[in-house]
C-alpha cells in the first residue's frame, strides 16, 4: 500500500445527526412503549459530512463540497466541521436535514427526521474544486448537491467513487467504483431492468445486481457492501467476495460511509481496486468495533467524547471496549486464554463452548516473548500478529487481547470478565488467576477439551512429513 495521502474532495449532501442514548428496562404504564432514561445527547456530522470526517481521519487533506443554509442546524454543522475539513458551500433552499436517534444501549428505538433542505445551484468555487481534484467521493443522499454538480462530475479526470442512495440519481458514466449496499443495489438493479431474483441466495442476488449495475452505469467496478459479510466486488464478470477480517459487534450506522471513504482515498493514492476494497472492508469492520458513528462526535463534547482508535496490530484497546460495552448492556463477558500457536480442533471446540457461555468472547493470547518463556526457544511457530488474525477470523471470537506477562492477571484486571474459561485438562491444576477472577464476583469455568489434539503433536508430525519434490510448498 502506498504511504502518500492524496487530497480528496467529497461531494454530497451533509446531514446533522443527533443521538439520545440511555437505558430502557421497562415499558410505560400508559402505552406499550419503552421508557428511556438517563439520556445523554451528542451531535455529529452525518451523510457526506461524516464521510469527509472519516476520510480526514485517515490523515489526508479533505475538501467537502456541500449545501448549507442560514438555519441553526447548518450553523451547528459548520462548528462541528471547523478544523477537520475544508468547507466549500453551495447555496441551499430550506433547512439542513437532521436526524435524531433515540438509543437504548447500542439499539435504536426511534428516529426523528427534520429539515428538507435542497441544493439550489452550483458555484464557481465548487466546480473548480471538483475540476482540480485527484480523487473524488460522491455521497449522494438525494438532496441535490451531486445533481447541481453533475456536469463537473461527468467531466472530472479524478479517481471517482460514487456512494449512491435510493433517494439519489444514478452515478455518472465511467465511475471508477460505485459502492451501494445490497438493498440499494437491488433497488437500482430493478430500475435498470434487473428484475426479480426469486429464491436466490443473498450473495447470488448481490452478484447479479452488481453485474447489472456495472453495465447499466458504465462503471469500471461495483462493490456491493454486505454488512458483516464484507463486500462483493464485480467488474461485470465473476465477482470477488471480500469477507470481513473479524466479527465486529456494535452500531453499524455510517459503516457504508467508512467503506466508501477508505476506498476513495486509496484509489486516489493509486491503489488497485481490489486492494482498495479489501482495505475498505477492514476499515469498516474496525469502525463498527470501535464504536461506530458515535466515536466520530466532535472532540470535546462532554457527553460523548470521541475515542482514540487502537493502532494497527494493537487489539487490546478494542477488547477492553468490547468488554465494557457488553457489561454496560447487562451482558455476560467471557474470556479464555492461551498461546494458540497452531490453531487446531481442540482450540476451536473450547472457544465455541466458551462463547456459548455468555454474550461475548475475548481471547487473551500470550505474546511471542511470553510463549518463548513458557515453551522454549523454538516457539512460537506462528508470530503473535498472525495468531491474532486467525483468532479474530473465528465467528465465535469477538475480540483478542495480547499480554506480555507469563500469566494473564494484568489483562484480566482490565477486562474483568464474568467467566474465565479453561480447558478440562486444567481440572486438577490450581489456576493462579482464580482468586483474582473471584475477587470481582467472576467465575472460573472448566470446559470439555478434545482428546488427542495438541500443538506439540501437530508440530512433531509436520517435522516428520517428507518434503515435496524440489523443496516447494506442500500446498
Amino acid at each position: 500500500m502506498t504511504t502518500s495521502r492524496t487530497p480528496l474532495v467529497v461531494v454530497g449532501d451533509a446531514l446533522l445527526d443527533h443521538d439520545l442514548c440511555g437505558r430502557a428496562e421497562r415499558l410505560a404504564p400508559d402505552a406499550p412503549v419503552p421508557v428511556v432514561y438517563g439520556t445523554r445527547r451528542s451531535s455529529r456530522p452525518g451523510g457526506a459530512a461524516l464521510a469527509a470526517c472519516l476520510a480526514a481521519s485517515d490523515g489526508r487533506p479533505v475538501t467537502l463540497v456541500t449545501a448549507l443554509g442560514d438555519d441553526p442546524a447548518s450553523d451547528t454543522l459548520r462548528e462541528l466541521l471547523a478544523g477537520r475539513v475544508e468547507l466549500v458551500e453551495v447555496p441551499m433552499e430550506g433547512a439542513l436535514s437532521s436526524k435524531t436517534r433515540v438509543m437504548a444501549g447500542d439499539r435504536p428505538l426511534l428516529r426523528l427526521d427534520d429539515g428538507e433542505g435542497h441544493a439550489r445551484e452550483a458555484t464557481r468555487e465548487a466546480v473548480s474544486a471538483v475540476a482540480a481534484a485527484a480523487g473524488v467521493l460522491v455521497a449522494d443522499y438525494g438532496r441535490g448537491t451531486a445533481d447541481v454538480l453533475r456536469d463537473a462530475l461527468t467531466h472530472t479526470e479524478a479517481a471517482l467513487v460514487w456512494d449512491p442512495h435510493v433517494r439519489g440519481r444514478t452515478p455518472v458514466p465511467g465511475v471508477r467504483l460505485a459502492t451501494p449496499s445490497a438493498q440499494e443495489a437491488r433497488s437500482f438493479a430493478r430500475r435498470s431492468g434487473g428484475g426479480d431474483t426469486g429464491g436466490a441466495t443473498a450473495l447470488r442476488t448481490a452478484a447479479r445486481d452488481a453485474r447489472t449495475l456495472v453495465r447499466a452505469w458504465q462503471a469500471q467496478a461495483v462493490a456491493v457492501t454486505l454488512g458483516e459479510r464484507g463486500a462483493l466486488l464485480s467488474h461485470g464478470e465473476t465477482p470477488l467476495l471480500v469477507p470481513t477480517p473479524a466479527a465486529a459487534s456494535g452500531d453499524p450506522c455510517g459503516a457504508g460511509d467508512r467503506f466508501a471513504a477508505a476506498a476513495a482515498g486509496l484509489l486516489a493514492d493509486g491503489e488497485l481496486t481490489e486492494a482498495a476494497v479489501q482495505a475498505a472492508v477492514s476499515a469498516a469492520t474496525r469502525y463498527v468495533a470501535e464504536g461506530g458513528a458515535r466515536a466520530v462526535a466532535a472532540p470535546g463534547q462532554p457527553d460523548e467524547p470521541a475515542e482514540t482508535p487502537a493502532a494497527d496490530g494493537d487489539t487490546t484497546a478494542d477488547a477492553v471496549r468490547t468488554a465494557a460495552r457488553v457489561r454496560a448492556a447487562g451482558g455476560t463477558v467471557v474470556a479464555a486464554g492461551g498461546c494458540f500457536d497452531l490453531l487446531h480442533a481442540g482450540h476451536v471446540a473450547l472457544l465455541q463452548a466458551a462463547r456459548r457461555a455468555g454474550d461475548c468472547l475475548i481471547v487473551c493470547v500470550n505474546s511471542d516473548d511470553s510463549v518463548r518463556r513458557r515453551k522454549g526457544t523454538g516457539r512460537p511457530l506462528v508470530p503473535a500478529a498472525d495468531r491474532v488474525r486467525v483468532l479474530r477470523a473465528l465467528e465465535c471470537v469477538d475480540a483478542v487481547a495480547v499480554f506480555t506477562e507469563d500469566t494473564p492477571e494484568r489483562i484480566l484486571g482490565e477486562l474483568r470478565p464474568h467467566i474465565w474459561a479453561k480447558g478440562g485438562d486444567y481440572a486438577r491444576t490450581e489456576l493462579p488467576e482464580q482468586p483474582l477472577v473471584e475477587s470481582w464476583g467472576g467465575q472460573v469455568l472448566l470446559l470439555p477439551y478434545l482428546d488427542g489434539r495438541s500443538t506439540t503433536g501437530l508440530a512433531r508430525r509436520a517435522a516428520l512429513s517428507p518434503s515435496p519434490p524440489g523443496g516447494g510448498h506442500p500446498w
Side-chain angles (χ1 to χ4, degrees), residues 69-438:
D70 298 326
D71 55 287
S74 293
D75 291 338
T76 299
L77 184 58
R78 290 185 182 97
E79 294 176 3
L80 292 175
L81 295 174
R84 304 170 86 172
V85 301
E86 180 182 349
L87 191 58
V88 175
E89 298 185 23
V90 299
M92 169 180 284
E93 292 181 353
L96 180 70
S97 297
S98 64
K99 64 182 181 183
T100 301
R101 297 190 304 169
V102 181
M103 310 278 291
D106 284 333
R107 181 168 300 177
L109 301 178
L110 179 69
R111 198 180 98 179
L112 307 173
D113 287 10
D114 295 295
E116 290 292 337
H118 207 83
R120 186 170 69 242
E121 60 186 0
T123 64
R124 183 176 299 176
E125 185 182 8
V127 172
S128 297
V130 173
V136 175
L137 168 63
V138 176
D140 183 8
Y141 282 80
R143 290 168 175 84
T145 304
D147 293 343
V148 299
L149 289 164
R150 194 170 183 87
D151 184 66
L153 294 168
T154 300
H155 294 95
T156 182
E157 297 182 0
L160 179 58
V161 175
W162 198 291
D163 191 20
H165 299 270
V166 291
R167 294 181 59 180
R169 292 175 61 185
T170 60
V172 300
V175 296
R176 178 81 175 273
L177 179 68
T179 61
S181 67
Q183 182 180 5
E184 291 159 351
R186 182 85 285 267
S187 176
F188 280 112
R190 285 196 183 102
R191 298 184 207 175
S192 301
D196 192 2
T197 57
T201 64
L203 284 177
R204 190 172 182 181
T205 297
R208 289 181 179 178
D209 291 342
R211 183 171 61 248
T212 296
L213 296 179
V214 166
R215 295 167 182 169
W217 291 346
Q218 301 175 47
Q220 294 183 36
V222 170
V224 178
T225 55
L226 303 170
E228 61 186 13
R229 288 190 173 189
L232 193 77
L233 174 63
S234 175
H235 294 276
E237 302 299 334
T238 303
L240 171 69
L241 177 63
V242 181
T244 55
S249 59
D251 182 6
C253 178
D257 295 298
R258 172 69 278 190
F259 176 90
L266 290 168
L267 289 175
D269 290 342
E271 290 286 0
L272 296 175
T273 303
E274 289 78 5
V277 169
Q278 290 179 31
V281 168
S282 296
T285 303
R286 289 195 303 271
Y287 168 85
V288 173
E290 292 169 358
R294 280 184 286 171
V296 188
Q301 291 196 61
D303 52 349
E304 196 73 24
E307 294 179 332
T308 301
D312 287 346
D314 179 11
T315 59
T316 301
D318 176 39
V320 172
R321 284 194 294 270
T322 298
R325 182 172 63 247
V326 172
R327 188 182 300 106
T332 298
V333 178
V334 182
C339 300
F340 301 100
D341 196 359
L342 286 179
L343 196 68
H344 54 70
H347 292 140
V348 175
L350 172 68
L351 296 175
Q352 288 174 330
R355 180 61 176 83
R356 288 192 291 269
D359 299 292
C360 78
L361 172 62
I362 298 171
V363 181
C364 303
V365 179
N366 296 75
S367 69
D368 291 346
D369 287 341
S370 178
V371 174
R372 273 189 287 271
R373 289 194 297 270
R374 291 188 57 189
K375 303 289 187 178
T377 56
R379 301 280 294 274
L381 301 171
V382 179
D386 289 353
R387 289 184 279 133
V388 168
R389 183 170 185 175
V390 171
L391 286 165
R392 295 183 74 188
L394 296 178
E395 186 177 1
C396 59
V397 175
D398 295 281
V400 179
V402 178
F403 62 94
T404 59
E405 301 82 6
D406 293 337
T407 56
E409 280 96 334
R410 180 191 58 79
I411 189 63
L412 285 176
E414 294 185 49
L415 297 171
R416 299 177 66 86
H418 299 92
I419 295 173
W420 174 238
K422 300 294 291 186
D425 55 347
Y426 285 85
R428 298 181 181 180
T429 303
E430 182 177 348
L431 300 176
E433 59 266 26
Q434 183 165 348
L436 175 67
V437 173
E438 293 177 346

